[in-house]
Amino acid sequence: MTKSYPDHKSEGAAGAELARRDDATEARKRADAPGQPSPVEESGQLVAADRPDQVAFEYAPAPESRSVVHLQPSYGLFIDGAFVEPVDGNAYKTENPATEEVLAEIAAAGLEDVDRAVEVAGRAQKEVWGPMPGAERAKYLFRVARIMQERSRELAVLESLDNGKPIRESRDVDVPLAAAHFFYYAGWADKLDYAGFGPHPAPIGVAGQVIPWNFPLMMAAWKLAPALAAGNTCVLKPASTTPLSALLLAEIIQQADLPPGVVNVITGAGSLAGAALVAHPGIDKVAFTGSTEVGKDLQRALAGTGKHLTLELGGKAANIVFEDAPLDQAIEGIVNGIFFNQGEVCCAGSRLLVQESIADTVVERLKRRLATLRVGDPLDKNTDLGAINNAAQLEKIRELSDAGEAEGAIRWSPSCTLPSKGYWFAPTVFTNVSQVHRIAQEEIFGPVLSVLTFRTPEEAVAKANNTVYGLSAGVWTEKGSRILWMAGQLRAGVVWANSFNRFDPTSPFGGYRESGFGREGGRQGLGAYLDV
Ligand code: NDP
């Protein structure tokens, strides 16, 4: 069932659990032999150098139960408050990327379905949701948030099944943050007149919202909650490979008794349903999160139509570590920056810029930390890295990693066992990376870190800004003045100081340059759905 990926440094070293034990035994033997390298360096396993008889404890399987999720064999489109079949009856299958098991059949919306969804959303906006007092809209949003919390386990398991992300992340990050967005924007719904957008800010109308597969539920919440709070109605199109949590959210919206037509969820291909949705004349505002290529297409298609548009696109963030940084925290921040959600994060810290004086230490400590990451079953509560979401994405990660090697960077992965079925990629670090390498310029969107060095703060800024993107950055240093100076110099929408990948509904998120424009979250995120 499993295949082993060797440590790229020591070609042929086994990575299976059994092999871990063999390594430990070997390491114990070697530790007794004078002049032998440290067992930690040699095997990549945590064997205490001064206690050669001790191996790091191994984790027993801790699988989250699937029984909380009631998968239906097939799902329709959610239009006008009800689940309906698509007009032409087309469907496709969504699978579990960790096993390639088919989870359900999903309706594929055609042009008539898009028409209908936009039409009912327009009617609901004019007749019900728009004229409704903000305090009343807030009650519905609070209700959605509370039901999300009540059904949080179900949402988390479903998200991990459909996306491949570890249950620890869907349970502790995605679902709580999604509910928090509904709570937060519910609070704004009756305070729009005092939000700083003029005395009586009006909703824009009908929002067409297209979201990606890396944070399916969270992206749905980021899009729906501010739009609804501001009095807009929505037609949401989830990514083809991850429709299930958006459909469960539609069920929650039904349960919360939202008036029919206020939220509609249409599943299906982006090139057909997604393109038809954003181009539809009944859509007043388009909000898109996804690739820069599609974002550019949308911008071209929408130019001159008068539609409001916000784009949240790719990134190639620099995570910058100075020699005075708190190193233990920085190592955790680097790991969280690039290996959270398998690196399938637009703001991932995919370029580590480390000050030259500490580069060797940081890389060595990073490798030791990576040797302890557990890659495997997303539903296991101890898993750190789950599956890559889809075959095409895995292919892209492989292609760019191979290019890194071909261009002269040095590739390293810890010994780890990858399941033979599903889409998997071992955590990978590239050293000896130069700025012109593709792995230093292109968004890989996978668990791959490119390490570059710098000597001075000015050089760090120049290298960090040497990208077409501008979404996020991280700075690790104990000097507050340096943090402030760097934040002013870095051309990134979000700069984290001594932390990385921190999200909060009160805080605006978004980029500029090829990372897009517009903000989600906070008061700014509300403004994106008001005609101001
Ligand atoms: P896409 O941009 O193709 O997909 C994002 C969303 O847009 C999906 O819902 C997709 O639908 C939809 N879509 C696709 N084409 C159109 C279109 N012409 N009109 C309207 N909607 C459309 O991203 P991919 O999933 O193909 O990922 C490719 C790369 O994009 C990744 O490798 C990564 O680099 C980047 N990416 C960035 C994300 C971010 O958060 N900024 C998120 C996801 C990807 P469907 O799923 O049906 O194709």
Side-chain angles (χ1 to χ4, degrees), residues 177 214 281 302 310 357 361 390 477:
L177 267 176
N214 53 344
L302 267 53
T310 43
S357 50
T361 311
N390 57 73
T477 172

Side-chain angles (χ1 to χ4, degrees), residues 64-357:
E64 174 62 89
S65 169
R66 270 181 72 153
S67 62
V68 66
V69 164
H70 306 290
L71 277 174
Q72 297 164 31
S74 65
Y75 290 82
L77 310 167
F78 185 67
I79 298 177
D80 210 11
F83 286 93
V84 295
E85 290 304 312
V87 171
D88 58 14
N90 283 341
Y92 72 96
K93 293 181 171 57
T94 185
E95 64 175 16
N96 177 347
T99 59
E100 297 174 54
E101 165 206 358
V102 171
L103 294 171
E105 202 168 82
I106 307 294
L111 299 183
E112 286 181 67
D113 304 304
V114 175
D115 279 348
R116 176 141 189 267
V118 175
E119 184 203 319
V120 300
R123 195 169 349 111
Q125 204 283 324
K126 283 191 186 68
E127 294 173 8
V128 186
W129 197 249
M132 187 184 282
E136 290 303 308
R137 289 200 301 270
K139 288 182 194 168
Y140 287 105
L141 296 189
F142 278 125
R143 207 181 289 163
V144 170
R146 281 196 299 270
I147 300 174
M148 287 175 82
Q149 287 186 322
E150 281 163 21
R151 300 181 71 171
S152 60
R153 220 172 124 218
E154 188 183 354
L155 284 164
V157 172
L158 190 67
E159 193 76 318
S160 283
L161 280 175
D162 208 18
N163 170 279
K165 65 174 73 201
I167 186 75
R168 203 162 52 82
E169 291 177 2
S170 44
R171 181 196 62 197
D172 297 347
V173 181
D174 297 51
V175 176
L177 267 176
H181 268 77
F182 275 97
F183 275 120
Y184 174 72
Y185 281 110
W188 270 119
D190 62 346
K191 301 173 190 69
L192 300 178
D193 290 355
Y194 318 103
F197 299 111
H200 302 296
I204 295 173
V206 181
Q209 305 173 316
V210 180
I211 57 171
W213 44 258
N214 53 344
F215 293 96
L217 180 71
M218 210 164 93
M219 286 300 108
W222 282 28
K223 297 276 181 286
L224 293 175
L228 296 176
N232 305 275
T233 55
C234 304
V235 182
L236 177 80
K237 206 232 44 100
S240 294
T241 56
T242 52
L244 291 177
S245 56
L247 291 166
L248 181 53
L249 181 58
E251 198 184 303
I252 288 172
I253 280 163
Q254 213 177 26
Q255 196 183 342
D257 245 349
L258 251 78
V262 171
V263 173
N264 306 274
V265 179
I266 54 163
T267 46
S271 53
L272 177 69
L277 175 63
V278 298
H280 199 287
I283 293 290
D284 306 296
K285 148 89 191 188
V286 172
F288 172 81
T289 299
S291 64
T292 295
E293 294 71 36
V294 173
K296 284 179 180 175
D297 286 347
L298 297 195
Q299 201 175 0
R300 270 191 290 269
L302 267 53
T305 62
K307 288 180 187 174
H308 296 245
L309 173 66
T310 43
L311 296 175
E312 203 268 87
L313 310 173
K316 192 73 190 175
N319 203 357
I320 306 165
V321 181
F322 285 93
E323 61 190 0
D324 65 346
L327 274 198
D328 287 338
Q329 289 92 324
I331 298 292
E332 289 309 306
I334 296 164
V335 172
N336 177 44
I338 183 61
F339 299 111
F340 169 61
N341 207 42
Q342 298 73 243
E344 295 166 332
V345 185
C346 47
C347 53
S350 52
R351 287 183 298 151
L352 171 63
L353 295 187
V354 57
Q355 198 152 16
E356 202 175 85
S357 50

Side-chain angles (χ1 to χ4, degrees), residues 4-16 19 23 42-43 414-416:
S4 166
Y5 274 64
D7 179 332
H8 275 83
K9 216 172 148 192
S10 51
E11 198 65 36
D23 282 352
E42 181 75 357
S43 67
S415 296
C416 70

